[in-house]
Amino acid sequence: MFPVFLLCSLCYVNAQTAKKYDAAFVENLKKEALVSVGAKEKAVQEMIDMVFSFGELGFQEVETSKYLTGILEKNGFKVERGISGIPTAWMAKWGSGSPVIALGSDIDCIPKASQKPGVAYKDPIVEGAPGHGEGHNSGQAVIIFAAIAVKELMQKNNIPGTLVIWPGVAEELVGSKAWYIRDGYFKDIDACIFTHVSGDFGCDYGDPGQNGLVSVKFSFDGEAAHAAGAPWRGKSALDAVELMDVGWNFKREHLKPTQRSHYVITDGGDQPNVVPSKAAVWYYFRERTYEDIQAMYDAGVKIAQGAAMMTDTRMTYQILGTAWPGHFNKALGEAMYANIKKVGFPQWTEADNQMALAVQKLVEAPKKDNAGKPISGLRTAVDTIKGSVPFSWGGGSDDIADISWNLPTIVLRYPANIPGTKGHHWADAIAMATPIAHKGSLAGAKATALTLVDLFTDPKILADAKDYFINVQTKDTKYKPFIKASDPPAIYLNKETMDKYRSEMRKFYYDPTKYKTYLEQLGISYPTVEKK
């Protein structure tokens, strides 16, 4: 008797081999795809600039989602809105039959990162407001215009298959993708191409060395009292928060060096003369494996319980986000890498490199990155593809990992930002509505389109991807979700901040009917590298 997975794989391959495509036909399709994506250069620029101008934080990407889904519907995609109970989340589908290929990219931005593009010094558009200090404004242009170009070719040549486009909502909070998986939105998808902004142009496979995490808010409930008149009658929730933080900081000594843990006190009481009856602290617990993340999470809960006991307060906790450590597909990665080499880096101008060098000086970029590559201006050479790291001291997290453990997935890093920036910083927004972002995203769209052509015409790639997923990636490691069926997405996060700034930010939304670029609308001379 065949194992179920092998039988399914054989059925899948047999279904796909029903239609053969010769090499000359596929090569011609790729040439047409490059021309088609290239012809969408203006549309790519407009989308990047528009989403940049919205500058919306996680779970509050209202204008961004409205704008993107409107464009998708105009191009024949059927959109399901509000997936997983997240108002700004959606899935857009076009086509029919197999294979089913999903394309994803994040859409949220960073708190207090408002910054005029093309200006190499701090100059907020709206002081204190959020902004795209990560570069997520560029990714949907990569996947949407690649998909539209390939859709046109599929229609013209009667190529079967289904395209699915979706947004990473609240990625900075790792707040959506595990919920998409839990609710079954990826159960019938054969492969996923994800894209993320970078200063590089690449696509690796295996374990990249990132940490997974659990994001948890601990809330304490005590009793108020006059802080001077009768403090002995109060039960301070803030004391509980501070004791938890002290306890956790002592715990760090006994954690592996691969851990990352950090917190912010989101509610510390109202005013000093009132014993705080309510207080809350928000933690990220990061580690390299599911087991170690769970152990940190369990330790955090115990320490919080202890703090509540010491202060005679009550404690509750809620998961706000979660991400597994990532693992990405070899067959898909190799296919994408071949197309990245075919596309190559954009042709940077002297102005582009002046901008990059000025920003690198501004942020005091190191001479080399973590891989030992020099940091000096914009990159021009595609690096070699890499597999799993032999060891990692840990690092950042991304909830695309939860999708990667449920179906073959890759992440394309496209060169739309400047190497050597800090990340999650207002300076990371400087390039993100400039020719650097426009050219880098267009290059990413071309590589994505070429890879889509491969996946829709060569069933062996998907068969190999499935084999790697089953017999290598998940052979010994099985996905276990951190969230339960009863855990809601934290859609209330960032609402107060966006309500505070949105009306002022709206004055600066990009108007492509009046201005060729957002730089032109803001009256910025590119590149502006020094204050006048």
Side-chain angles (χ1 to χ4, degrees):
M1 181 177 178
F2 280 114
V4 173
F5 74 81
L6 181 59
L7 184 61
C8 291
S9 297
L10 290 171
C11 293
Y12 176 82
V13 173
N14 289 336
Q16 294 306 298
T17 54
K19 192 167 185 177
K20 299 281 188 179
Y21 303 96
D22 63 41
F25 174 76
V26 172
E27 187 60 29
N28 187 60
L29 277 182
K30 288 191 168 187
K31 289 178 180 177
E32 290 186 53
L34 289 175
V35 171
S36 180
V37 174
K40 295 170 174 57
E41 181 177 6
K42 175 60 178 170
V44 168
Q45 171 261 309
E46 286 189 2
M47 182 174 286
I48 289 169
D49 288 5
M50 184 68 79
V51 178
F52 181 93
S53 74
F54 292 147
E56 295 176 302
L57 292 167
F59 290 121
Q60 309 305 320
E61 311 99 334
V62 178
E63 298 291 347
T64 301
S65 289
K66 180 181 177 182
Y67 168 73
L68 295 172
T69 55
I71 288 174
L72 287 164
E73 286 178 325
K74 287 178 182 177
N75 283 276
F77 283 78
K78 184 178 180 181
V79 178
E80 180 185 356
R81 292 175 171 83
I83 65 172
S84 288
I86 302 171
T88 55
W90 40 269
M91 283 196 112
K93 295 183 181 180
W94 175 87
S96 61
S98 296
V100 182
I101 310 299
L103 303 168
S105 201
D106 300 320
I107 59 175
D108 59 327
C109 74
I110 301 292
K112 296 181 174 64
S114 178
Q115 171 65 23
K116 290 179 181 175
V119 176
Y121 51 85
K122 187 170 177 58
D123 193 4
I125 298 172
V126 176
E127 182 65 49
H132 276 285
E134 171 86 352
H136 288 172
N137 61 297
S138 58
Q140 287 289 324
V142 172
I143 61 175
I144 286 175
F145 292 109
I148 290 172
V150 172
K151 164 184 171 284
E152 293 165 353
L153 292 176
M154 293 171 72
Q155 289 175 311
K156 177 182 175 182
N157 294 281
N158 296 316
I159 297 173
T162 304
L163 287 161
V164 178
I165 298 178
W166 58 277
V169 167
E171 186 276 334
E172 300 302 343
L173 309 174
V174 289
S176 64
K177 300 184 186 80
W179 279 260
Y180 298 163
I181 289 294
R182 181 193 69 182
D183 298 337
Y185 285 99
F186 283 82
K187 65 181 180 180
D188 297 320
I189 293 174
D190 297 304
C192 178
I193 296 174
F194 194 72
T195 69
H196 198 281
V197 62
S198 178
D200 212 343
F201 201 10
C203 182
D204 298 323
Y205 63 88
D207 174 3
Q210 293 181 320
N211 282 357
L213 70 80
V214 173
S215 165
V216 193
K217 183 177 78 171
F218 296 91
S219 299
F220 295 87
D221 189 3
E223 289 186 18
H226 194 300
W232 54 85
R233 298 180 66 183
K235 298 176 181 179
S236 175
L238 179 58
D239 285 355
V241 163
E242 292 185 294
L243 284 166
M244 179 184 178
D245 294 344
V246 169
W248 184 259
N249 287 324
F250 273 101
K251 177 69 174 177
R252 289 177 198 271
E253 180 184 353
H254 308 288
L255 296 173
K256 295 179 180 179
T258 46
Q259 73 89 23
R260 301 285 194 279
S261 51
H262 21 266
Y263 58 85
V264 293
I265 296 174
T266 57
D267 182 0
D270 299 304
Q271 56 192 55
N273 65 324
V274 179
V275 173
S277 62
K278 295 185 183 299
V281 61
W282 181 6
Y283 271 80
Y284 275 21
F285 300 118
R286 303 187 198 243
E287 251 292 2
R288 290 280 291 125
T289 68
Y290 169 86
E291 290 77 15
D292 285 340
I293 298 164
Q294 185 66 53
M296 287 179 72
Y297 178 25
D298 292 342
V301 172
K302 287 182 179 179
I303 290 171
Q305 290 169 337
M309 290 176 65
M310 284 188 283
T311 54
D312 198 18
T313 58
R314 296 174 295 280
M315 186 275 293
T316 58
Y317 60 97
Q318 176 190 0
I319 288 184
L320 302 183
T322 175
W324 260 60
H327 192 116
F328 301 103
N329 194 268
K330 183 177 182 181
L332 297 182
E334 290 175 339
M336 176 64 82
Y337 178 68
N339 291 314
I340 289 169
K341 290 195 294 183
K342 186 185 291 286
V343 172
F345 271 87
Q347 294 297 309
W348 307 120
T349 64
E350 183 179 349
D352 297 333
N353 267 302
Q354 285 178 348
M355 185 83 264
L357 288 166
V359 170
Q360 288 163 349
K361 180 180 179 181
L362 173 73
V363 301
E364 300 177 330
K367 299 292 185 183
K368 295 181 179 180
D369 66 13
N370 292 337
K373 292 186 289 186
I375 296 173
S376 181
L378 295 165
R379 296 218 166 102
T380 57
V382 175
D383 203 354
T384 55
I385 189 171
K386 296 184 290 294
S388 294
V389 298
F391 175 78
S392 170
W393 288 108
S397 312
D398 193 326
D399 52 353
I400 186 58
D402 288 75
I403 291 173
S404 79
W405 283 99
N406 284 273
L407 66 151
T409 301
I410 52 168
V411 177
L412 165 67
R413 305 186 307 278
Y414 57 93
N417 212 330
I418 295 169
T421 55
K422 296 181 180 182
H424 295 183
H425 187 263
W426 57 264
D428 286 74
I430 292 172
M432 291 315 304
T434 73
I436 295 171
H438 304 152
K439 294 173 189 177
S441 297
L442 188 67
K446 289 178 179 179
T448 301
L450 295 182
T451 306
L452 285 172
V453 170
D454 285 333
L455 297 182
F456 284 119
T457 60
D458 185 354
K460 185 176 186 304
I461 296 173
L462 287 175
D464 289 347
K466 193 161 191 176
D467 178 73
Y468 178 89
F469 179 78
I470 293 171
N471 295 313
V472 178
Q473 179 183 345
T474 63
K475 181 180 179 182
D476 299 315
T477 303
K478 306 301 180 185
Y479 178 78
K480 303 173 187 176
F482 287 105
I483 58 170
K484 303 184 292 294
S486 58
D487 289 323
I491 60 174
Y492 61 88
L493 290 174
N494 293 319
K495 184 177 186 307
E496 287 186 11
T497 302
M498 287 307 305
D499 286 348
K500 178 179 179 180
Y501 290 106
R502 193 184 292 277
S503 61
E504 187 65 20
M505 294 171 67
R506 188 175 286 115
K507 299 174 185 177
F508 297 95
Y509 287 175
Y510 175 45
D511 185 352
T513 66
K514 294 182 179 179
Y515 304 97
K516 291 181 180 179
T517 67
Y518 197 43
L519 290 173
E520 180 183 329
Q521 179 170 325
L522 296 176
I524 295 169
S525 176
Y526 176 80
T528 297
V529 298
E530 295 180 353
K531 288 186 179 181
K532 296 180 180 178

